[in-house]
Amino acid sequence: MLRYTGNRLQQSVVLLFLASVVCFTLVVSSPGNVAVLIAELRGMIGSPGYVEQIEQEIGLNKPLLIRYADWLGNVIQGDFGISYRTGHDVNADIMNRITVTGMLVAGGAVVATVASLVLGFIGAFWPGGITDRAVRGFALVGASTPTFFVGALVIFMFAVILNLVPAVGFNGLKSWILPWITVAVLPAAVLSRVVRVGLEEAMASPYVLTAKSKGLSRFRIMFRDALPNITPIYINALGTQIGLMTAAAIIVEPLFAWQGMGDYFLNGVRFRDFMVVQACLLLFLTFFIVVNLVVDLTVMATDPRIRRQRSGA
Amino acid sequence: MQHDATLKVDNLTVDLLTSKTAVRPVDGVSYSVRKGECLAIVGESGSGKTVMNFAPLGLMPAGVSTELSGSVKFNGRELIGLEDGELRHIRGKSIGFIFQDPMSALNPVRRIGRQIAEMAELHLGLSPSAAEARALELIKLVGIPDPEARLRQYPHELSGGLRQRVVIAIALAGEPKLLIADEPTTALDVTVQAQILRLLKDLRKRLDMAMILITHDMGVVASSADDIVVMYAARAVERGPVEEVLTQPRHPYTRALINAIPKSSDTVGTRFRGLSGMPPILGAPNPGCAFAPRCDLAVAECRHTRPLMSQATHSTVRFACPIANTESEIHGTGTCS
Ligand SMILES: Nc1ncnc2c1ncn2[C@@H]1O[C@H](COP(=O)(O)OP(=O)(O)O)[C@@H](O)[C@H]1O
Ligand SMILES: [Mg+2]
């Protein structure tokens, strides 16, 4: 078990390194001379020699490898540099914004988990019933519905028509509900299908026949015998969905006027603020890698068969 | 004698309908088993042994719909026509089940102790801690070494033989009156088979249960069972006390089965005396005797008229072959008991 954890950690470090290379290359190779952009932003585009001065200032004239090493060295020390556009410390910006996105994704994940377990279970318990068909239909339609549309729809329904909650803003539980629903709707549909299909499969296994022969009720068999057996596939799928929810933040945050990482990234891209873009991309990829690591370790910890194999006992 | 039978099956017919197929794996079979006794059910794979025992108790896999007719009485109570909710209270509590493959019969992600203890909670109304204590007793009863440690383990940490002992412990946890064991040793190593069979025999005597033992092994039948039912293609072809049926088989199929057992008197290199021909495919309705195509005694009549079970003269054995009956016993036709 320890050896597996160690291997998996090593892998993650390699992935993180690759992610940093990708981030750096993407940003460096994106079109447009950053020095010109900065000069433009500062209103100094006309003054002769200014662009060269900026190039000097941010080290654009150094060899790429050196620039990468400089950047990585700073990043590892937790220094993402200064936004060229606003002159703000990127770290400080991120500190302010990461809790907003964290709140969005964490809340969305909780909503999606609870909803998918309940709906998937009901669907498996009454196959062909109304919940089962509704969720199946929704998962089909939902897969091709943009999150933006979902967001607009829930705002329209709950904030405009029913006037239950505020449409935009970030203050208190009431204002969090709509964004949570918006990010959670599609993951919930996908995950409830995972639960529904997984349970149906598990209910056909021989150990379920044993459980039946014990005289246990179908509900109890599904809950205590079948459900624990789908934990690994569920956690895997949940990890993927959490990753996707983080990506959806780019759409959902502006929709609700939330100033989170998604919004930050979007602004960074729009204004070619490449320190910001680099920082956001790297954090996003890091989050992905960490989620995957956590998923794998959790799966190992919850499945006694794997736990034993991987520990080589 | 009628009412003291723990399980009494009369003219049981089972039809299985899936989305693609309709088969009748059990066709008009009767038998019974009494307290403290063991009934062996033998027959080739696919002859309907599992379905016959599991379907009336609602233990068919998902996706199959089951139609039952005839009568299955457990301690005098008719099971056919009961709702699954009522059958559920009989399963586990009054009838314990042992499955063919212990490797897949246990839940891989739950501890052994819980899988046994939940039976005691459900059927004996014990508290979780009392049920754990009961699980420990049971696991000792079925002869598992290092019982405390085993309770905390998961199924994959145990060998096949130990897992089958766990399955037996589960089956016993509700203190059943009848134990149905479906080929309990087929999936196990030869060396372990004898241990498991000895354990089952011993437990049946100690707990004074009735037992139905489904098996291929005539040696097992001879050493463990009191009565035997021989199945061929969904029908019973012969049934009676073991010592009589084994020493004096009457139905041509039973004879062939017993003749196929290797004998110690065989010289090395003796050809294996298997049955020639193939078992029939269920589903194709057969108006006559299903064994006729492989039978030495078959006459034209056998292909058209279904042979009924009738009693052999001077014996309680019943078998379904009028040809063999008249051939061996010129004196009497079978009379009803
Ligand atoms: N789950 C099932 N779905 C459809 N048909 C089945 C199923 N189980 C058994 N059968 C049918 O019943 C017949 C008898 O099966 P079974 O009782 O398992 O035989 P045995 O236990 O004697 O080997 C099989 O040949 C098959 O045609
Ligand atoms: Mg079978």
Side-chain angles (χ1 to χ4, degrees), chain A residues 103-117:
Chain A
M103 191 65 94
L104 180 74
V105 174
V110 171
V111 171
T113 306
V114 172
S116 63
L117 286 175

Side-chain angles (χ1 to χ4, degrees), chain B residues 16 18 21 23 25 43-52 60-61 64 182-183 282:
Chain B
L16 292 183
T18 65
T21 58
V23 286
E44 284 163 297
S45 279
S47 56
K49 307 181 296 292
T50 301
V51 171
M52 181 165 79
M60 289 308 291
V64 194
D182 186 1
E183 304 191 32
L282 296 179

Side-chain angles (χ1 to χ4, degrees), chain B residues 40-304:
Chain B
I41 297 177
V42 299
E44 284 163 297
S45 279
S47 56
K49 307 181 296 292
T50 301
V51 171
M52 181 165 79
N53 284 280
F54 285 23
L57 286 145
L59 286 176
M60 289 308 291
V64 194
S65 76
T66 311
E67 278 175 22
L68 301 164
S69 68
S71 159
V72 176
K73 284 200 170 123
F74 177 73
N75 279 338
R77 182 176 182 201
E78 180 61 58
L79 301 188
I80 289 183
L82 287 189
E83 296 285 315
D84 192 64
E86 294 169 285
L87 282 178
R88 183 157 84 69
H89 295 296
I90 295 170
R91 293 196 292 261
K93 180 170 179 56
S94 304
I95 304 180
F97 298 87
I98 297 165
F99 298 90
Q100 182 170 349
D101 184 8
M103 304 313 270
S104 62
L106 295 169
N107 193 325
V109 303
R110 299 184 64 203
R111 289 179 201 280
I112 306 260
R114 284 311 310 154
Q115 297 192 49
I116 303 174
E118 69 177 355
M119 284 287 280
E121 281 172 43
L122 183 70
H123 297 301
L124 309 180
L126 299 183
S127 69
S129 58
E132 293 281 339
R134 176 79 185 128
L136 185 63
E137 280 172 35
L138 284 162
I139 217 161
K140 285 178 184 160
L141 181 72
V142 297
I144 295 180
D146 201 1
E148 280 92 355
R150 298 302 183 190
L151 287 182
R152 289 189 300 275
Q153 286 183 314
Y154 290 92
H156 67 266
E157 298 173 76
L158 271 57
S159 68
L162 286 185
R163 285 193 222 185
Q164 194 60 302
R165 285 173 194 263
V166 172
V167 173
I168 294 170
I170 290 173
L172 295 177
E175 300 176 356
K177 307 285 176 288
L178 170 67
L179 204 55
I180 297 179
D182 186 1
E183 304 191 32
T185 59
T186 306
L188 302 177
D189 287 348
V190 185
T191 48
V192 184
Q193 291 185 355
Q195 296 169 15
I196 296 285
L197 288 165
R198 208 173 315 125
L199 172 70
L200 284 174
K201 190 173 176 179
D202 175 50
L203 287 169
R204 171 169 61 86
K205 297 236 163 93
R206 267 162 75 181
L207 306 174
D208 200 20
M209 294 177 293
M211 179 158 134
I212 292 176
L213 181 65
I214 301 173
T215 179
H216 286 301
D217 189 336
M218 284 297 184
V220 172
V221 174
S223 64
S224 309
D226 303 294
D227 290 316
I228 179 172
V229 176
V230 181
M231 297 275 294
Y232 187 79
R235 295 176 190 168
V237 294
E238 183 159 357
R239 78 165 202 265
V242 164
E243 62 274 19
E244 237 189 294
V245 172
L246 290 194
T247 53
Q248 199 189 335
R250 289 171 166 90
H251 193 281
Y253 176 64
T254 318
R255 287 188 205 168
L257 263 190
I258 288 166
N259 192 34
I261 307 169
K263 293 185 180 64
S264 53
S265 59
D266 285 350
T267 52
V268 176
T270 305
R271 233 185 107 250
F272 176 69
R273 293 179 301 258
L275 223 58
S276 62
M278 291 288 291
I281 300 143
L282 296 179
N286 190 335
C289 173
F291 189 60
R294 297 165 87 181
C295 180
D296 297 333
L297 299 179
V299 296
E301 178 72 357
C302 296
R303 294 172 196 275
H304 307 120

